[in-house]
Amino acid sequence: MKKNLFALWLIFSFSLALQAQEQVRMTLQEALSLSLENNVNVKNARLETLISKATIKETTASGLPQINGAFDVNYNPAIPVVFLPNEPPFGDPNIPSDVIPARFGVSFTSSLSANVRQMIFDGSFFVGLRAAKTYKQLTDYDLEKTETDVIESVKKAYFGVLVNQERIRLAQSNLARVDTLLNETRALNEAGFAEKIDVSRIQVQRNNTFTQLERSRAALEISMQLLKLQIGLPMEYDLELEENLEEFNSLEEVSALLTEQGSERIEVKQVNTNIELVGLDIKNNQSQYMPSIDFVGNIQRAGAGNEISSVFNSQNWFGSSLIGVSMTIPIFDGFLKSAKIQKNRIQIQQLENQRNYLKESIKSEIFSAKTNLKNDLSLLQVQQENLALAREVFDMARIKYNEGVGSNLEVVEADAALIEAEINYLSALYDGLVSKVDLEKALGILKTSIENQTN
């Protein structure tokens, strides 16, 4: 209930924000909650659950009384002729013909009837009702699987935006630093204390840094559009993220995740449900060997006349009724049901093979995800050290150059190494966050962790 209220509040606030301004601010949690309401795939999966509910009602309806009414008016342009033998007591032996033609019927007939049929016993009905409820469970699993996939995509897209924003910030800082160095070197060159090649060398470094900045800006636009598409935000609105990468870099949470055993994956539940559905299909085909019994009832009034005006005269209308039990007994169908049952049993074998392979694949996926996360954490630590060393080297090279004991080339090389260290650090940080998401999905707790944070 709290989750639903939170989602409604978030959608209402989001709608007001769209009406009030073109810029929207949100956290990762808000982006995930909004995506679970607005993402197209989630919407379609949720609609599929509604279809399955209607299927249960549809199946149940077939076991309830079926009542139909009918009314008709008929005109006979040519009344049918029936031939009778020309024999006593109906015939006249004096007539040479051996048959007597006689018209049976009138020009106009009409009838009004109501038919009732109520199923008493039909084995396939009860199996079908169970199958409909099982199908509803399968659509619930499909919805959960879709939501998990959307959560994975949104989190990765969200982290991608944060990484590109950080890359732009660092690129701008690097560009400002190189511009300062370039201006200082130009001044020294004009004063005769630096060579022209020193200016050109720094200009090349400045151009490379500017190119990196433009690439980061383009990457940010692409990742932002992808994120808006995932959460269902119109493309014409600006999205601003309220968090930064450091807020998601919790070593305690990662360490706890590495010891997590996980839970049963939704994919296994889907396969188990499909096996159950095929098993119910076998029972349905087997039940069709048994007879079906229905209660039938009919009430009718019919009238006739040679003139249309006399058809609806109450004197010409007569009633009839019928009550009975109808039994249909299958005798021989050319081995159709037997072939269907055989096909179902083969399908179960296929699904069981798929389930066994899926379980082994999940074990391998968990092992790979934990290994990748451990490796990414180790690389992240190395890149942090490299970044600190690169900054230290650049500061020392800059000091030596300003004091006249270092070369311009050392400063340019140190600046290039610092930029490379920053890029490598951001890449390692993003890889670690993505590996964390992959491990949560492999353990089957990706959606659960989001629900726990919401509650």
Side-chain angles (χ1 to χ4, degrees), residues 155-255:
K155 293 188 74 170
K156 290 182 178 180
Y158 193 94
F159 295 148
V161 171
L162 292 179
V163 167
N164 287 321
Q165 287 179 340
E166 186 66 16
R167 283 175 177 169
I168 290 177
R169 188 189 66 80
L170 291 176
Q172 289 174 336
S173 177
N174 294 335
L175 187 62
R177 184 177 67 244
V178 174
D179 283 340
T180 300
L181 181 61
L182 180 61
N183 293 333
E184 292 175 353
T185 306
R186 281 175 177 170
L188 291 174
N189 175 255
E190 293 173 356
F193 295 103
E195 299 181 4
K196 182 66 172 62
I197 191 174
D198 295 334
V199 177
S200 299
R201 186 181 292 118
I202 299 177
Q203 183 65 50
V204 171
Q205 181 68 9
R206 197 267 179 194
N207 293 340
N208 291 338
T209 305
F210 178 77
T211 300
Q212 183 65 37
L213 174 60
E214 292 301 307
R215 288 177 178 174
S216 298
R217 285 173 175 168
L220 176 61
E221 289 296 322
I222 294 174
S223 60
M224 187 66 77
Q225 294 297 320
L226 177 61
L227 177 58
K228 287 191 286 188
L229 177 65
Q230 293 293 338
I231 64 179
L233 180 68
M235 296 297 176
E236 59 269 18
Y237 291 97
D238 293 329
L239 176 61
E240 183 177 351
L241 309 186
E242 296 185 353
E243 296 160 307
N244 55 61
L245 286 173
E246 299 299 330
E247 297 181 45
F248 300 101
N249 192 21
S250 173
L251 294 178
E252 294 80 6
E253 184 179 351
V254 173
S255 300

Side-chain angles (χ1 to χ4, degrees), residues 28-48:
L28 174 60
Q29 187 61 41
E30 291 172 342
L32 292 171
S33 298
L34 190 62
S35 66
L36 294 180
E37 296 295 330
N38 284 356
N39 186 273
V40 174
N41 294 330
V42 175
K43 285 183 177 180
N44 287 337
R46 191 171 290 115
L47 291 174
E48 191 66 32

Side-chain angles (χ1 to χ4, degrees), residues 47-60:
L47 291 174
E48 191 66 32
T49 62
L50 298 180
I51 293 176
S52 64
K53 290 181 180 178
T55 302
I56 295 177
K57 294 181 180 179
E58 179 183 354
T59 306
T60 304

Side-chain angles (χ1 to χ4, degrees), residues 93-122:
N94 296 323
I95 300 176
S97 175
D98 61 349
V99 295
I100 300 175
R103 294 186 182 275
F104 278 82
V106 293
S107 298
F108 296 93
T109 60
S110 180
S111 65
L112 177 64
S113 63
N115 298 283
V116 179
R117 179 175 289 271
Q118 169 61 55
M119 182 190 67
I120 298 176
F121 175 79
D122 189 341

